[in-house]
Amino acid sequence: MTIIAPAPAGSGLRAVPCADRNGMLEVLSMRRDPFGYSAARRATYGPIYGINALGLRVVVASGADAADEILRNRDRAFANGPAWGYFIGPFFNRGLMLLDFDEHRHHRLLMQQVFSNTALKGYMQEMSPMIIDRMQRFPTGKVLLANEFKALTLDVALEVFLGVELPRDEADRLNTAFIETVRAGVALVRKPVPGGRWRKGLRSRRVLEEFFSSAIADKRARETPDLFSVLCHAETEEGQRFTDDDVVNHMIFVLMAAHDTSTITMTQMAYHLARHPEWQQRARDESDELPNELGYDDLGSLTTLDLVMKESLRLCPPVPSQPRAAIADTRIGDFFIPEGTMVSISQLTNHRDPEIYSEPDRFDPERFMPDRAEDKQHRMAWAPFGGGVHKCIGLYFGQMEIKTIMHQLLRGYEWSVPADYRMPMDYSALPVPKDRLPVTLWRR
């Protein structure tokens, strides 16, 4: 065992213990079984420990207290840009998540217009008929549900965010580009070698840049109800607007974040509802009491679906960890964190903390009921959307889209998996099922 760095004399702080195991082996072990890996490391080193990963020494900060300290960032000692930039900077350059402090605040204020209540109601009106039509043509029989969700959320994103209907081959080309940019960020070989993830990510970034850049002039020329247009016309009281480069960067990031995170969440929800048919029926009974085409104000009535969504996000947050970089000497609890250190908050494992959640590995949506409210025991007990100033700006859009799609699925279909089926997960990038969630799906 080594340490990250010695604590300053007289500071009263402790040095962070660090595993000296080969970094490649650490990463492979973590991806293979993140829960067992985390439990073993915490048992050996405690809740704050260092590892070698992807060419870096990273401090893993476990627990809700550490997450609160880092995400709220009251001393402004942690920054997003250098941390996320190391992993996804070449592929999601200057997306909102990669900006910090005053610049982040300026961009976020402009982007809030894109996700205002008025804008969300407009998006709801645009996407509801399209989702109904698409869901009526859902395949039945043996279905890879994760693939169907991904195709649907991409169609929603293209229509609601871009305001365009693309030929299938062009939509598939963009979908492939998004997948490759996301996977590139966790490439083990971080150089553009032929056939490698890194090179594919750089190539796909260029595809996305060219696509959005070619459409900007038209979007600037006239206002339409899609997110792309709102972003092009967003303006501060002082008359400041996004540059064309800003618009391209934000569109690439937002479109990725919107359809990937929604796909992951719905896949988890569908899996748990298949394994727990009593919850599937309970959610269906509620949906049957509501109109087929939901309005924005109807979403709050989907209380059972909301419980299922929250529990699914607890068990598998779409962004499983959140990195930060220390831009000054600082501390986490009583541990010394030197300037330049990469720090990682693992929401994937924090969400299963037995000190907060009873039987944390069990699917139990009622833990979010007001009479139990296990998630309210700590500010960061449940944080799938992050926290602090960088909390996900699109979280309400995501929940709106998820509920609208799942409402249609429940009203129109039933689905099941074998009793002994357990969804095998791939944690090498964003968490997705290796088998794409095969279900038996039939019309009601």
Side-chain angles (χ1 to χ4, degrees):
M1 183 182 76
T2 59
I3 59 173
I4 291 292
S11 66
L13 299 177
R14 293 192 284 165
V16 175
C18 183
D20 50 14
R21 190 182 183 209
N22 176 274
M24 185 72 73
L25 295 176
E26 287 287 274
V27 172
L28 292 174
S29 297
M30 196 175 353
R31 290 178 176 180
R32 190 178 303 112
D33 178 13
F35 304 107
Y37 175 89
S38 175
R41 287 290 172 269
R42 290 184 68 168
T44 302
Y45 302 110
I48 311 293
Y49 57 89
I51 61 172
N52 296 301
L54 300 176
L56 294 172
R57 273 192 163 186
V58 180
V59 171
V60 178
S62 304
D65 285 341
D68 185 59
E69 229 177 313
I70 296 164
L71 294 179
R72 296 183 76 197
N73 199 19
R74 290 189 277 285
D75 296 332
R76 305 183 87 180
F78 296 103
N80 268 38
W84 281 112
Y86 180 83
F87 297 105
I88 63 173
F91 318 107
F92 296 100
N93 179 46
R94 294 186 61 74
L96 188 64
M97 194 166 68
L98 281 77
L99 304 178
D100 286 294
F101 309 120
D102 292 344
E103 185 178 38
H104 171 262
R105 182 175 178 275
H106 167 68
H107 280 248
R108 191 177 178 99
L109 282 172
L110 270 171
M111 286 197 72
Q112 281 174 348
Q113 297 175 40
V114 174
F115 294 107
S116 67
N117 277 344
T118 300
L120 289 174
K121 289 177 181 178
Y123 303 149
M124 184 77 176
Q125 290 177 345
E126 291 291 314
M127 75 178 180
S128 285
M130 177 263 203
I131 289 172
I132 290 172
D133 176 68
R134 181 73 167 72
M135 293 295 291
Q136 287 173 345
R137 294 182 281 114
F138 230 52
T140 54
K142 298 296 183 182
V143 176
L144 297 180
L145 206 47
N147 287 352
E148 296 302 323
F149 284 145
K150 191 162 187 63
L152 177 54
T153 55
L154 181 63
D155 287 345
V156 170
L158 292 175
E159 180 159 318
V160 175
F161 285 9
L162 273 68
V164 297
E165 187 171 339
L166 296 177
R168 187 74 258 167
D169 60 341
E170 179 67 357
D172 289 343
R173 187 173 77 99
L174 290 180
N175 191 25
T176 298
F178 281 112
I179 292 170
E180 289 183 347
T181 52
V182 171
R183 292 179 68 84
V186 290
L188 294 175
V189 179
R190 306 178 70 76
K191 295 183 183 297
V193 297
R197 283 188 179 184
W198 196 264
R199 182 166 177 165
K200 290 179 180 178
L202 293 173
R203 179 188 62 199
S204 291
R205 167 75 191 197
R206 289 193 293 272
V207 169
L208 298 173
E209 285 178 349
E210 290 167 4
F211 175 81
F212 288 114
S213 296
S214 67
I216 281 186
D218 181 61
K219 291 296 180 183
R220 293 253 193 229
R222 58 192 180 92
E223 292 193 50
T224 50
D226 53 275
L227 184 145
F228 196 177
S229 177
V230 176
L231 203 59
C232 284
H233 294 276
E235 189 172 325
T236 66
E237 294 179 357
E238 295 77 25
Q240 295 174 309
R241 300 171 75 175
F242 284 132
T243 66
D244 286 0
D245 285 346
D246 289 335
V247 172
V248 170
N249 290 330
H250 288 314
M251 282 304 301
I252 291 174
F253 181 78
V254 168
L255 194 54
M256 176 279 295
H259 90 279
D260 263 341
T261 55
S262 294
T263 296
I264 290 167
T265 302
M266 288 189 295
T267 299
Q268 291 289 325
M269 291 171 70
Y271 165 64
H272 291 299
L273 290 174
R275 288 203 60 233
H276 301 275
E278 71 281 5
W279 275 98
Q280 186 179 145
Q281 191 57 49
R282 179 170 162 178
R284 181 175 292 112
D285 290 343
E286 193 172 79
S287 279
D288 283 343
E289 294 296 317
L290 294 169
N292 185 46
E293 182 171 343
L294 293 174
Y296 184 76
D297 295 331
D298 293 322
L299 295 170
S301 299
L302 294 169
T303 52
T304 298
L305 203 54
D306 192 60
L307 293 175
V308 171
M309 181 176 66
K310 287 180 176 177
E311 178 68 338
S312 299
L313 284 166
R314 182 188 73 82
L315 288 167
C316 186
V319 181
S321 64
Q322 299 174 54
R324 296 291 189 271
I327 56 174
D329 286 353
T330 186
R331 62 193 292 167
I332 301 173
D334 61 353
F335 286 95
F336 173 64
I337 308 295
E339 179 182 353
T341 302
M342 189 79 78
V343 173
S344 176
I345 305 155
S346 177
Q347 291 306 117
L348 187 68
T349 53
N350 281 358
H351 278 182
R352 301 194 188 205
D353 187 342
E355 294 185 7
I356 292 175
Y357 293 107
S358 58
E359 298 183 81
D361 295 330
R362 187 166 72 91
F363 176 74
D364 180 11
E366 288 186 341
R367 69 175 79 247
F368 289 92
M369 294 281 283
D371 60 331
R372 289 175 61 185
E374 293 182 2
D375 60 309
K376 303 299 183 186
Q377 295 185 65
H378 193 288
R379 184 186 288 108
M380 294 297 172
W382 186 80
F385 303 104
V389 298
H390 280 94
K391 189 172 184 178
C392 176
I393 196 171
L395 68 94
Y396 296 113
F397 176 86
Q399 292 179 60
M400 179 176 77
E401 177 186 32
I402 290 163
K403 288 183 178 180
T404 302
I405 292 173
M406 293 301 295
H407 171 70
Q408 290 299 319
L409 188 66
L410 287 161
R411 284 177 62 93
Y413 302 89
E414 296 180 43
W415 64 98
S416 66
V417 294
D420 61 350
Y421 173 76
R422 298 296 181 269
M423 188 162 63
M425 294 298 297
D426 177 359
Y427 293 103
S428 65
L430 299 182
V432 295
K434 295 176 182 178
D435 60 0
R436 313 308 296 163
L437 182 55
V439 303
T440 301
L441 185 78
W442 65 94
R443 293 184 184 275
R444 292 179 64 194

